[in-house]
Amino acid sequence: MNFPEELKYTKDHEWVKVDGDVATIGITDFAQKELGDIVYVDVNTVGESVAIEEVFGTVEAVKTVSDLFMPITGNVLEVNGGIDANPELVNKDPYGAGWMIKARIESPAELAQLLSATDYKKLIGV
Amino acid sequence: MSTTALAIKATALSQKHISLGAKMVEFAGYNMPVSYSGLNDEHACVRSAMGVFDVSHMGEFILKGENALDLIQRVTSNDAAVLTDGKIQYSCLPNDKGGIVDDLLVYRIDEKTYMLVVNASNIEKDWNWIAKHNTKGVDMKNISDQTSLLAVQGPKAILALQKLTDINLSEIPYYTFKKGKFNGIDNVVVSNTGYTGAGGFELYFENEVADKMWNAIFEAGKEFGIKPIGLGARDTLRLEMGFCLYGNDIDDSTSPIEAGLGWITKFTKEFTSKATFLEQKEKGVSRKLVGIEMIDRGIPRHDYEVVDAAGNTIGKVTSGTQSPSLNKAIGMAYVKTEFAKADTEIFVKIRDKAIKAKVVKIPFYKQ
């Protein structure tokens, strides 16, 4: 399993990439493996401000459904249109083509609470 | 080792699954593989080639004696008197409140000997239920813990398995079995059954030879692209066929008539809850188990509410998934009888939104 050093992580298995005041958010390699074949990512919070640890969407795998939590408070700017047609991209490329949303960061201080790749790996025991 | 680990039972092949890298889960108290290469891949492999499921957690009871048939007739809904040696029947154990204790297979070994194959989660409950009705001294033996069961399913299964036995597998029609030498091992039950709709066989044998059987089957199936399959794909395969899963689609509170299992409910004999089921058959039932297919995007899941266009509750989803073969969201649900006709528009409540769906005929998947 792969956990890029340049990303930040949460205990709920999301990753965050910060670019200025915009955060790109997705789920980790560990999460996609646990979920299995992903068939639908349902995000209906575009245009909304969603608080840290609140649900911004849902990921449906063949067998299971799981909520997606905001790693930081932010305004959801966009959903990855590519995963709407090809949700399996989340399995194939969780940190690249399988990203889920972009959000405008509203409380930059929260970024400090996110986990490093090393801390996240420790959390999941790899 | 922790005490919880001790409480989970292993099949004779649990270590094999772990060594092959399977994702393991606890299911019905057993440490079972839920997936190997990935659910969709495993599912497709069974539909197009062949795959092997370890279903050794299933329970097997041997009923033997002059009154074995009598007991089976009393506790099951189907008519076991029509069975001849080597024939198998799908049936259910009704409870005395018009519900279902379990669904099962009845194997007639000979006139006085039967094997019942029951769900792992219900072994104890079924045993107690049958034992309670055993008033005429039928010899009952629970061989579940010493018996392994592999389901070798898919269109290529017959070709691979034929290499391992002199029994002519093409002479074992659907829902029949033969007992004989398989892979050099005596008394293997070779049964043309399985819960996938993909064709193939189920093999019952003693735990001691489980490794040997597994290895031989994989060797024989290599040229056909054989793969080990987990419980996840077993569930999607059975659901595409509209087969009921106990605990999801049928349980202690659902009647076989409501569940569309009227075909295994025969009124030619006496059995538990017969009068209730007969009345339901004659007067009709207020709800029915139907197949549903999503029209708008969303996946139905167990226990999701089913509503009509006005938002009134009309039923509940019992099983649901994204169908790997059909690439659409399907499920089964109990709905009020007036909504049970094919093509009726219904809605499934998914995360507080009513998502459009329709009633469809099962099976969802047709070969």
Side-chain angles (χ1 to χ4, degrees), chain B residues 18-254:
Chain B
I18 293 165
S19 71
L20 289 170
K23 188 166 146 191
M24 304 294 286
V25 292
E26 188 191 338
F27 180 81
Y30 290 81
N31 192 18
M32 301 297 289
V34 66
S35 69
Y36 280 91
S37 56
L39 200 155
N40 282 342
D41 182 63
E42 293 165 38
H43 183 109
C45 184
V46 174
R47 284 266 180 261
S48 65
M50 65 183 295
V52 181
F53 307 74
D54 175 17
V55 279
S56 303
H57 58 315
M58 302 283 289
E60 297 87 10
F61 304 154
I62 302 290
L63 270 54
K64 200 175 172 72
E66 292 293 333
N67 297 306
L69 176 61
D70 198 53
L71 174 59
I72 290 165
Q73 289 290 64
R74 183 72 187 76
V75 296
T76 65
S77 60
N78 208 338
D79 186 0
V82 304
L83 291 172
T84 53
D85 293 355
K87 290 233 160 89
I88 308 163
Q89 187 174 69
Y90 180 59
S91 193
C92 77
L93 296 173
N95 64 27
D96 50 14
K97 293 177 185 69
I100 300 174
V101 179
D102 201 4
D103 61 339
L104 76 164
L105 291 178
V106 179
Y107 286 66
R108 176 166 146 154
I109 295 167
D110 62 46
E111 201 185 341
K112 293 172 192 167
T113 316
Y114 293 81
M115 177 168 76
L116 308 184
V117 182
V118 304
N119 283 299
S121 50
N122 293 333
I123 292 174
E124 202 184 332
K125 181 174 78 160
D126 294 356
W127 177 268
N128 292 340
W129 181 256
I130 300 166
K132 193 177 125 181
H133 292 85
N134 183 14
T135 51
K136 292 181 189 162
V138 173
D139 178 41
M140 291 176 58
K141 205 188 285 172
N142 181 355
I143 60 164
S144 308
D145 284 346
Q146 71 220 51
T147 306
S148 289
L149 172 56
L150 289 179
V152 186
Q153 301 279 291
K156 304 290 186 197
I158 189 166
L159 299 172
L161 296 180
Q162 191 61 74
K163 294 197 264 180
L164 299 173
T165 181
D166 290 334
I167 303 170
N168 188 342
L169 297 180
S170 64
E171 286 171 4
I172 306 179
Y174 196 43
Y175 272 73
T176 67
F177 71 97
K178 282 201 168 124
K179 204 171 177 177
K181 200 170 217 168
F182 190 98
N183 188 32
I185 296 148
D186 288 321
N187 296 318
V188 174
V189 171
V190 182
S191 167
N192 187 339
T193 47
Y195 221 48
T196 62
F201 292 83
E202 292 186 295
L203 307 168
Y204 298 82
F205 46 86
E206 300 262 326
N207 288 347
E208 288 67 34
V209 297
D211 258 358
K212 196 177 160 191
M213 288 291 273
W214 177 277
N215 294 340
I217 292 164
F218 274 84
E219 187 58 37
K222 212 178 204 171
E223 61 173 302
F224 304 108
I226 192 170
K227 282 183 184 176
I229 314 292
L231 291 178
R234 182 172 167 81
D235 192 45
T236 52
L237 287 158
R238 71 94 196 162
L239 186 50
E240 284 183 351
M241 299 310 294
F243 294 153
C244 289
L245 174 64
Y246 193 88
N248 274 40
D249 314 300
I250 50 176
D251 61 31
D252 293 298
S253 70
T254 62

Side-chain angles (χ1 to χ4, degrees), chain B residues 286-290 306 314-315 333-337 339-340 346 359:
Chain B
S286 59
R287 59 172 186 174
K288 280 185 179 169
L289 185 64
V290 296
V306 181
I314 57 164
Y334 281 101
V335 295
K336 286 185 179 169
T337 304
F339 293 90
I346 56 165
V359 174

Side-chain angles (χ1 to χ4, degrees), chain B residues 246-310:
Chain B
Y246 193 88
N248 274 40
D249 314 300
I250 50 176
D251 61 31
D252 293 298
S253 70
T254 62
S255 104
I257 307 297
E258 293 171 331
L261 298 176
W263 64 280
I264 60 162
T265 309
K266 299 288 165 61
F267 300 106
T268 47
K269 53 148 201 176
E270 274 312 310
F271 64 98
T272 308
S273 285
K274 178 184 178 180
T276 308
F277 300 150
L278 190 58
E279 192 186 335
Q280 289 177 344
K281 200 185 175 185
E282 283 167 354
K283 292 187 181 162
V285 285
S286 59
R287 59 172 186 174
K288 280 185 179 169
L289 185 64
V290 296
I292 61 170
E293 186 184 306
M294 299 307 295
I295 295 170
D296 290 335
R297 202 150 182 196
I299 299 170
R301 306 281 184 189
H302 182 69
D303 267 350
Y304 281 9
E305 198 184 345
V306 181
V307 297
D308 64 11

Side-chain angles (χ1 to χ4, degrees), chain A:
Chain A
M1 275 185 286
N2 171 32
F3 303 99
E5 287 296 327
E6 67 272 23
L7 304 179
K8 294 288 183 188
Y9 299 86
T10 72
K11 61 172 175 30
D12 297 315
H13 314 291
E14 279 94 18
W15 58 261
V16 183
K17 187 176 141 205
V18 180
D19 189 7
D21 64 345
V22 174
T24 304
I25 295 162
I27 63 168
T28 66
D29 200 12
F30 174 78
Q32 69 80 12
K33 276 213 172 75
E34 284 296 302
L35 287 164
D37 295 306
I38 290 162
V39 292
Y40 183 30
V41 179
D42 186 10
V43 176
N44 51 16
T45 50
V46 177
E48 291 176 25
S49 181
V50 185
I52 185 168
E53 289 178 5
E54 291 295 309
V55 174
F56 71 84
T58 313
V59 55
E60 298 256 14
V62 177
K63 284 296 296 166
T64 52
V65 51
S66 183
D67 282 333
L68 295 164
F69 300 97
M70 277 304 255
I72 42 115
T73 301
N75 194 290
V76 181
L77 300 171
E78 109 177 75
V79 182
N80 179 2
I83 58 170
D84 196 47
N86 299 299
E88 68 277 8
L89 287 174
V90 180
N91 293 115
K92 285 182 187 152
D93 190 9
Y95 305 112
W99 65 273
M100 291 183 168
I101 58 165
K102 286 186 195 290
R104 188 166 313 281
I105 299 164
E106 293 183 339
S107 307
E110 288 169 356
L111 293 170
Q113 301 166 24
L114 295 169
L115 306 173
S116 67
T118 310
D119 290 342
Y120 180 68
K121 281 193 268 191
K122 213 176 283 169
L123 177 84
I124 59 171
V126 297

